[in-house]
Amino acid sequence: MKNGMKTMSSTTQPDGPSRTTQDRGGFTLIELLVVIAIIALLVAILLPALAGARESSRRTVCLSNCRQMSLSMNYYANDQREWYPVKPVPATPGGLSAAQVAAWPYSNQQLHGGVAGMFSLRQLGDGAATDSTTQDPGWIAGFYLTTPPVSTPIMEGYLEGFGALVCPSDRLDIYWSPSVAPGSRAYTTGKPKQPRAPKSVEEVVSYNISYLYIAGFKLDDPALVGPAPLWGDEANCCDVGTRAWWGDAGDAIAAGVRPQTNMFSKEDNHGTDGGNYAFTDGHATMVRGSAAASFFTGGNTNPQNVNILDPFRSDRLQTHD
């Protein structure tokens, strides 16, 4: 065109934003794959952190449960001549040694409803049989072999609700018969149960309780150098006496725990990390490694050891769940 004006060729686009073929097609496959890879990487990084945060929160709740129980038991001890809860037992039979007579009040606590028997005399749970035998549910009713029979759980009125009986990290319990004896395998014969917070006294049963109790302490105990362990995370075994914390070799092997170590299994409340325990002074802490070693054979340098002043103090106790 004349007069210095530019001519528009047939390939020149009109004024306005330029659009390419790629713009019209959206994201390419490569770009989508990159975005998906980035999202997957972020998920892989964040999920363990989120899982760790959830478990940390659960452990905090568990510690709070333990402190609450220690406080309730201290209220009980203040009302009961400084004795922490000990369920009544039949009269001491004849023919026992002096040591056996001294230990008798703390013996066989598991036969009086276990830990659940401190809160309920009517343990129906889910209504199913208690183990692989034909044991009827609700067997604890009237089971206290005393004269006259006990009609009220000893901890009734000292705990508000039953939510504190369950650790939020507890996903499995092995329900074993009260007739399980040394030499039998509670872990392999019991029924796996799903713990849940009891909503009524009838639902207070061993598999709905995540903790064990060490019976036989007093508020002012001259045989102790420090606060005594009262209440804390159980193991998924027959937690009675020396069998507690996988003390039975057969149960330990079945659960993948090295025998004679009293360590925790991967299926226990907090896995192999340890367990939370409350003490007579009300504080609670996580005990790692072997709880049995810490409390009973931890040596004279461990203030949690109850046998420092009296090497036989633990003979007058009973661990049970």
Side-chain angles (χ1 to χ4, degrees):
M1 182 177 294
K2 297 179 179 179
N3 302 324
M5 296 181 64
K6 294 182 179 178
T7 61
M8 181 182 293
S9 69
S10 59
T11 59
T12 302
Q13 298 296 322
D15 293 340
S18 174
R19 296 182 59 83
T20 64
T21 302
Q22 182 175 349
D23 290 333
R24 291 194 300 271
F27 290 110
T28 66
L29 178 61
I30 297 296
E31 289 173 330
L32 287 174
L33 290 176
V34 169
V35 171
I36 292 172
I38 292 173
I39 293 173
L41 179 61
L42 291 174
V43 169
I45 293 173
L46 292 176
L47 274 183
L50 291 174
R54 284 196 298 267
E55 174 57 19
S56 178
S57 176
R58 294 185 186 119
R59 292 186 185 187
T60 299
V61 173
C62 179
L63 271 174
S64 177
N65 289 346
C66 292
R67 292 191 192 100
Q68 182 178 346
M69 187 58 63
S70 176
L71 182 62
S72 298
M73 289 185 171
N74 273 278
Y75 287 145
Y76 177 95
N78 284 321
D79 291 339
Q80 300 293 331
R81 298 181 180 180
E82 297 191 346
W83 281 103
Y84 289 100
V86 176
K87 294 189 292 284
V89 297
T92 307
L96 299 182
S97 67
Q100 289 173 322
V101 170
W104 180 258
Y106 322 109
S107 301
N108 300 316
Q109 290 283 297
Q110 81 280 9
L111 297 180
H112 299 273
V115 165
M118 295 194 295
F119 307 94
S120 173
L121 301 184
R122 185 63 177 169
Q123 301 175 17
L124 293 176
D126 58 12
T130 58
D131 61 1
S132 56
T133 71
T134 57
Q135 187 90 38
D136 290 330
W139 62 273
I140 187 56
F143 200 77
Y144 282 7
L145 304 178
T146 58
T147 304
V150 171
S151 59
T152 303
I154 59 176
M155 283 294 290
E156 184 174 282
Y158 289 96
L159 187 68
E160 185 176 349
F162 301 117
L165 296 176
V166 180
C167 169
S169 295
D170 192 1
R171 295 292 180 266
L172 172 70
D173 205 327
I174 303 297
Y175 201 17
W176 53 277
S177 167
S179 62
V180 170
S184 62
R185 298 291 174 253
Y187 186 73
T188 55
T189 61
K191 281 188 175 182
K193 294 285 189 177
Q194 175 77 41
R196 64 180 184 183
K199 296 181 180 178
S200 67
V201 69
E202 288 81 13
E203 292 184 359
V204 178
V205 65
S206 69
Y207 59 81
N208 284 337
I209 298 180
S210 306
Y211 304 101
L212 54 74
Y213 173 54
I214 304 175
F217 288 116
K218 295 184 68 175
L219 276 175
D220 185 14
D221 197 322
L224 301 176
V225 298
L230 273 182
W231 178 272
D233 284 304
E234 66 178 4
N236 285 323
C237 62
C238 179
D239 272 317
V240 176
T242 57
R243 296 182 69 177
W245 299 290
W246 304 105
D248 179 274
D251 284 347
I253 292 172
V257 179
R258 188 158 53 92
Q260 311 306 320
T261 62
N262 292 102
M263 305 292 275
F264 291 89
S265 81
K266 62 182 181 180
E267 293 182 338
D268 290 332
N269 295 353
H270 305 294
T272 57
D273 285 352
N276 289 323
Y277 294 91
F279 293 74
T280 51
D281 65 348
H283 88 277
T285 187
M286 173 164 276
V287 174
R288 302 183 183 276
S290 170
S294 295
F295 300 152
F296 307 129
T297 59
N300 291 338
T301 61
N302 180 8
Q304 294 178 338
N305 180 9
V306 303
N307 292 323
I308 293 178
L309 297 181
D310 179 356
F312 302 104
R313 182 66 184 90
S314 60
D315 292 344
R316 302 188 301 280
L317 303 171
Q318 187 180 42
T319 302
H320 64 291
D321 60 4

